[in-house]
Amino acid sequence: MGAQLRVYKRRIKSVTATKKITKAMEMIAASRVVKAQRKVAASTPYATELTRAVTAVATGASDKHPLTTEAEAPTRAAVLLLSSDRGLAGAFNSNAIKSAEQLTAKLQGKGMEVDTYIVGRRGIAHYNFRERKIAGQWTGFTDAPSYADAKAIAGPLIEAIEKESAEGGVDELHIVYTEFISMMTQDAVGSRLLPLSLDEVAKEAGTTDEARPLYDFEPSAEDVLDALLPRYVESRIYNALLQSAASKHAATRRAMKSATDNAGDLITALTRSANAARQAEITQEISEIVGGASALADATAGSDK
């Protein structure tokens, strides 16, 4: 019994230490998600107004711009997957990867080749383990992305879509990220960044035919569009990075809270088992003492006869 009680005590000590770690990680994630939410809120007005401007310029341009004109028969597409550098976030990364694979299968079903670009070590590890080709990868900033990170990601993607598909370029650019809805809800979503669908962009920006901002274009709408569209892609990627960061921290907080609660339940169960083992040990010791005393009394009585 003594050995069993020591086992319970060692397990209680180990689980208690784990509980302290998960509780600390939960608190850290809670503080980080608040900061990430603030960044998302701060980036939204800029992204909205830039979207309005892009819509106005695109609708005011007399010629079709290559970044707003859909290919008649698209043959290649690029998919940007946003994952995280770290785990311990429940199904955060697996949901994003699953959504990217579904989008890839859908595009391939249309007869298109897909180039995959990945942000985050988890997504990269998933594709490397399965020996899948990665066209571009970025790591080291998923917890706190900056606009410079978004710009570095957008550069190769914009170059790819400006090239002809025969020269290694792509006809479409898609992004898969985790949208932050609330502390309890985060959804992996996929959307097409380029070519622009003006109706969808106008609806997203809240721009209608009845209320559309007026702009004067100098030197021309096409030149302005050349300058605005890269900024548009960068802002969309930056917002997606912030959304994914906030979602990852929320998922980590939820996972660590669940782990902390489970550790508490396990400690309670182990404590009860340890108490039961201790009581059984004490009962056995009392039984041995009583048995020994009874045997001694019988022996003494026998010697007196």
Side-chain angles (χ1 to χ4, degrees):
M1 281 296 181
Q4 185 177 6
L5 184 59
R6 285 194 296 271
V7 170
Y8 284 129
K9 288 183 176 180
R10 281 198 298 267
R11 291 190 62 187
I12 291 172
K13 184 178 180 181
S14 175
V15 175
T16 301
T18 302
K19 182 181 178 181
K20 291 180 180 179
I21 295 173
T22 56
K23 184 62 177 179
M25 294 179 68
E26 177 189 348
M27 296 175 65
I28 292 172
S31 64
R32 287 179 175 176
V33 72
V34 172
K35 295 179 181 178
Q37 281 181 280
R38 292 174 181 172
K39 289 184 178 180
V40 171
S43 69
T44 299
Y46 172 79
T48 300
E49 292 304 318
L50 184 56
T51 300
R52 289 176 182 270
V54 170
T55 305
V57 176
T59 54
S62 58
D63 297 330
K64 295 294 184 180
H65 193 278
L67 300 185
T68 59
T69 304
E70 296 190 24
E72 295 182 0
T75 58
R76 295 179 64 88
V79 174
L80 174 62
L81 167 62
L82 303 187
S83 65
S84 67
D85 288 326
R86 302 178 183 180
L88 300 177
F92 170 81
N93 287 299
S94 60
N95 287 341
I97 292 171
K98 182 179 179 180
S99 181
E101 290 179 339
Q102 291 175 345
L103 176 59
T104 298
K106 181 179 179 181
L107 294 172
Q108 290 175 341
K110 296 179 180 180
M112 303 174 65
E113 297 182 19
V114 178
D115 293 337
T116 304
Y117 297 79
I118 304 178
V119 175
R121 292 188 178 92
R122 293 295 172 174
I124 294 171
H126 177 87
Y127 275 71
N128 285 338
F129 179 76
R130 288 158 180 79
E131 297 182 350
R132 297 177 183 173
K133 183 179 178 181
I134 301 176
Q137 53 185 294
W138 300 267
T139 61
F141 53 80
T142 58
D143 283 351
S146 65
Y147 193 84
D149 298 322
K151 190 172 182 179
I153 297 170
L157 296 174
I158 294 173
E159 290 179 4
I161 202 165
E162 287 179 339
K163 292 180 181 179
E164 296 292 336
S165 56
E167 300 176 355
V170 297
D171 300 309
E172 295 182 1
L173 170 59
H174 299 259
I175 183 171
V176 177
Y177 66 100
T178 305
E179 182 182 10
F180 181 86
I181 299 174
S182 68
M183 290 294 293
M184 297 302 298
T185 306
Q186 302 87 39
D187 291 336
V189 297
S191 62
R192 192 181 75 176
L193 293 185
L194 296 174
L196 289 174
S197 176
L198 297 181
D199 292 337
E200 293 181 4
V201 172
K203 182 179 179 180
E204 180 181 347
T207 303
T208 62
D209 292 336
E210 292 77 18
R212 178 165 291 169
L214 300 177
Y215 293 91
D216 291 328
F217 307 121
E218 294 182 0
S220 67
E222 288 71 25
D223 291 334
V224 175
L225 199 59
D226 286 337
L228 274 182
L229 277 175
R231 305 290 85 76
Y232 168 76
V233 175
E234 292 168 6
S235 68
R236 288 292 298 272
I237 292 177
Y238 180 52
N239 186 264
L241 286 171
L242 294 177
Q243 294 264 4
S244 292
S247 298
K248 190 268 179 184
H249 295 317
T252 298
R253 177 184 176 276
R254 190 167 59 252
M256 292 301 101
K257 185 180 186 304
S258 178
T260 302
D261 294 341
N262 291 338
D265 293 341
L266 183 56
I267 290 172
T268 300
L270 290 173
T271 301
R272 290 174 180 172
S273 299
N275 290 338
R278 183 170 178 273
Q279 290 172 359
E281 182 179 351
I282 293 173
T283 301
Q284 182 177 353
E285 290 177 355
I286 293 175
S287 298
E288 291 175 353
I289 292 172
V290 172
S294 178
L296 181 60
D298 292 342
T300 302
S303 62
D304 291 341
K305 292 180 181 180

